[in-house]
Each structure stands twice: as structure tokens, then as C-alpha cells.
Amino acid sequence: MLQIKNLKKYFPVRETNVLANMFSKPSAFNKAVDDVSFSVDRKETIGLVGESGCGKTTLGRTVLKLMDATAGEVLFHDKNVFELNDADLKDFHKKVQIIFQDPYSSLNPRMKISSIITEGLIIHSEIKKREIKEKAKELMDLVGLSGELIDRYPHEFSGGQRQRIGIARAVALQPEYIICDEPVSSLDVSVQAQIINLLIDLQKKFNLGYIFISHDLSVVRYISHKIAVMYFGKIVEFCESGELFNNPLHPYTKLLLSSVPEKHKLGKAEDEKPAVTDILGCSFYQRCPEAKPECKEMPQELKDIGGGHKVSCILIK
């Protein structure tokens, strides 16, 4: 099990004056990830949804220790990832991989596909040089691409093909978990379906656990077993995928599921969000159409209301 416990990632907000920044403490903090906890089993997909800027990608990168956490723990095989030595951290990165959002910028344009796919194998295993091309061909075939294309460069492939190459690179080390950071958001709808089905097939084949980050609710619904809804760095609702769509409870979740683009449907405009720090009550208070005066002052906790359905809202009893 991959466990995330009370994870926090804060970014300092400093003065615009460069000289003042050198000698002063941050004036505030942007709480990109604020006390987030959940766990992922093998063969399970946790969908992570929310508006752009809610902290989804930061959460994924902090779990992988691509960013240093402000507080909290990530437990992998009962060991805190943030306390691992270099050797153990290298093994962790072998077992927990990432698929990036942009299939264009995530591949080195100067490297052949064979080198891109097998780079991790060369670093983490004792694969022999004569075996590299054969392994690259196997991985290409695994993700639905001809193994004969391994000597080509990334610019010779379409966006969907590049993302398949990124997936091949991620599964090359036989990981236990993969963080999928908006892996289909830049692809055409028809290609999205192909990539999602590929990920599902690979999950069944290798017993993979996924954290699937996306803002597209239809995609998340299709692939996820459970869904966590994020707003302003916090998880405001967490439950089984079917339960979330059939019985959404948090006002923010309801508004997301309504798929209404107009800002007035979300209460106040985006630029009228609360300040980044010192929020005593619900951070969604200013935009919530169901808000009560007490929502502004009372701290919110993610509580289980039964059946594993958790929600952070004082209006839900």
C-alpha cells in the first residue's frame, strides 16, 4: 500500500521588492497541498479531480519527492519516503513511476526512442547492452507500437504515440504504482479513449496502482475505483467512483458535476477567492451557493459519514 498521511506543501509568498525578499520572512504561504491523507492499493485507481491550481499536480510531485514536503509522510512498504537514504530512494523511484501530462516536452528530442524507453533500466538494473534494443521492442509492442520504430526520434510520432512511449518508459521497470499526471488532457478525444484503455489493460496485467490526476470528470469516472475531490489544497470529498456521481454531497463537488462553465454559477468569481493563509473555516465559503455564516469560522474536517464516503462540510451531518 502507498499511504499519504497529513501531507502538506506550502510555497512562500514574498514581497515583489527583490531587496526586501533577501532580508525578510515570507508574508504568507500558498497552501498548495494542505493536510491531505489517503492510501492506494495495488490494482486500484484513485482519481484526483479539481480545478486548475487546486494542488493536484503538486501533490503528485511531492509524493514522488520531486518536491520537498513541508510536513507529513508518504509511506511505501511502511517506510517514510522523506526519510529514505539515497539507495532506498532510488529503489522507491524504481517502484513508483510517473506519466507526465505533455507527451511533447516529456521526451528528449535528441534521444532515440530505444534510449528513452530503456534509460531507467540502464540506471536501475544490470541490463546488458546487447539486450537493450530487444527490451525496447518488447515495451513498444506492449503499448501498441511497432518495435521496428525504436530507432526513430520523438518528433516523428503523433501526440498519442508519444504518450504511449511515455507509458512504455513508466512500466519498463515493472513498478508497483504510477502517478498519471493529466496523461490524456492534451490528446484528441478518440485518442484519449485508446490511452485510457491501455492504462486499464496494463493495470490488470501488472497489478498496478494508479493515482490518476485529471480535471476531466468523464475520464476519471471511467478509470477510477475511488475519487478524491480537491479544492484549494484540501480534499473536500472522497468515496467510491459510483457513489460520488450518484450521491455528491459537498457543494463544490455538486458544482463540478454540473459541468456549468459560467463563473456566476460558482458564486463569486475566481479572483475573489479567499486569501491563501489564515482561513479559519471552509476555503470554498466565498464561492459556495449553500454557505451559512458559521462556514466562515468553523474549521472543516474530512469526516466519514458511512460506507467510506468522506466529506468536509459542516452542512453534511
Side-chain angles (χ1 to χ4, degrees):
M1 182 180 290
L2 181 66
Q3 296 175 284
I4 292 118
K5 291 188 173 183
N6 307 111
L7 187 63
K8 298 180 181 180
K9 176 59 182 176
Y10 296 172
F11 293 98
V13 178
R14 299 185 180 275
E15 301 291 338
T16 55
N17 187 301
V18 177
L19 186 61
N21 281 339
M22 296 174 61
F23 301 101
S24 64
K25 294 182 179 180
S27 58
F29 288 92
N30 180 353
K31 298 181 179 182
V33 179
D34 193 13
D35 201 22
V36 169
S37 299
F38 64 90
S39 61
V40 193
D41 286 325
R42 297 288 296 273
K43 300 186 287 186
E44 181 180 52
T45 300
I46 302 294
L48 201 58
V49 300
E51 296 171 289
S52 296
C54 72
K56 306 186 299 295
T57 292
T58 301
L59 172 62
R61 291 173 181 265
T62 306
V63 167
L64 274 170
K65 209 175 183 299
L66 299 179
M67 294 179 173
D68 291 330
T70 302
E73 297 178 318
V74 173
L75 301 180
F76 182 67
H77 295 305
D78 296 323
K79 294 181 179 179
N80 186 358
V81 172
F82 304 143
E83 297 176 354
L84 296 179
N85 58 38
D86 290 344
D88 288 339
L89 187 61
K90 182 179 178 180
D91 185 61
F92 168 73
H93 283 145
K94 177 181 176 181
K95 295 298 183 182
V96 184
Q97 289 283 303
I98 185 170
I99 300 169
F100 295 99
Q101 175 179 356
D102 187 354
Y104 292 90
S105 63
S106 64
L107 303 180
N108 189 331
R110 295 181 177 86
M111 291 176 67
K112 290 183 178 180
I113 299 306
S114 59
S115 298
I116 290 173
I117 291 177
T118 58
E119 185 177 20
L121 282 170
I122 295 169
I123 294 171
H124 291 279
S125 68
E126 297 179 358
I127 188 170
K128 296 176 182 178
K129 192 172 182 179
R130 64 176 180 273
E131 299 173 346
I132 291 176
K133 279 202 171 184
E134 195 58 39
K135 186 61 179 179
K137 287 182 179 180
E138 289 178 15
L139 290 165
M140 290 282 278
D141 290 336
L142 181 67
V143 298
L145 294 173
S146 171
E148 303 305 316
L149 303 176
I150 59 169
D151 287 324
R152 295 190 179 183
Y153 290 89
H155 73 269
E156 299 179 75
F157 294 86
S158 68
Q161 289 175 322
R162 291 188 192 197
Q163 198 58 291
R164 288 176 186 268
I165 293 166
I167 294 170
R169 176 176 59 185
V171 299
L173 291 167
Q174 299 181 336
E176 297 177 19
Y177 295 90
I178 297 179
I179 295 175
C180 307
D181 185 10
E182 303 253 18
V184 298
S185 63
S186 62
L187 306 176
D188 293 338
V189 174
S190 60
V191 180
Q192 286 184 9
Q194 296 171 17
I195 297 299
I196 293 298
N197 287 327
L198 172 61
L199 289 171
I200 292 173
D201 290 342
L202 291 173
Q203 183 174 54
K204 293 175 180 177
K205 185 177 181 67
F206 298 114
N207 296 328
L208 293 167
Y210 292 146
I211 297 176
F212 191 91
I213 299 168
S214 180
H215 62 273
D216 190 326
L217 288 163
S218 61
V219 170
V220 171
R221 183 177 191 175
Y222 184 70
I223 195 173
S224 302
H225 299 97
K226 298 175 183 176
I227 297 176
V229 180
M230 280 192 76
Y231 180 75
F232 221 63
K234 292 181 177 288
I235 291 179
V236 297
E237 191 159 1
F238 183 90
C239 61
E240 300 282 342
S241 177
E243 172 70 8
L244 186 86
F245 285 87
N246 293 326
N247 184 32
L249 296 178
H250 196 281
Y252 178 62
T253 306
K254 294 177 184 177
L255 290 167
L256 280 181
L257 294 177
S258 70
S259 301
V260 178
E262 292 84 7
K263 280 189 175 181
H264 71 272
K265 294 291 186 179
L266 285 170
K268 296 191 176 183
E270 183 74 15
D271 58 0
E272 295 182 74
K273 278 185 179 181
V276 294
T277 56
D278 302 324
I279 299 172
L280 296 177
C282 178
S283 57
F284 190 56
Y285 169 76
Q286 289 186 329
R287 302 173 71 195
C288 180
E290 303 177 33
K292 307 294 183 185
E294 57 267 30
C295 297
K296 186 177 182 180
E297 301 296 333
M298 292 184 64
Q300 311 295 305
E301 292 185 1
L302 195 65
K303 56 183 180 290
D304 194 330
I305 61 167
H309 194 154
K310 300 178 182 180
V311 63
S312 173
C313 180
I314 61 171
L315 303 178
I316 307 299
K317 307 299 183 184

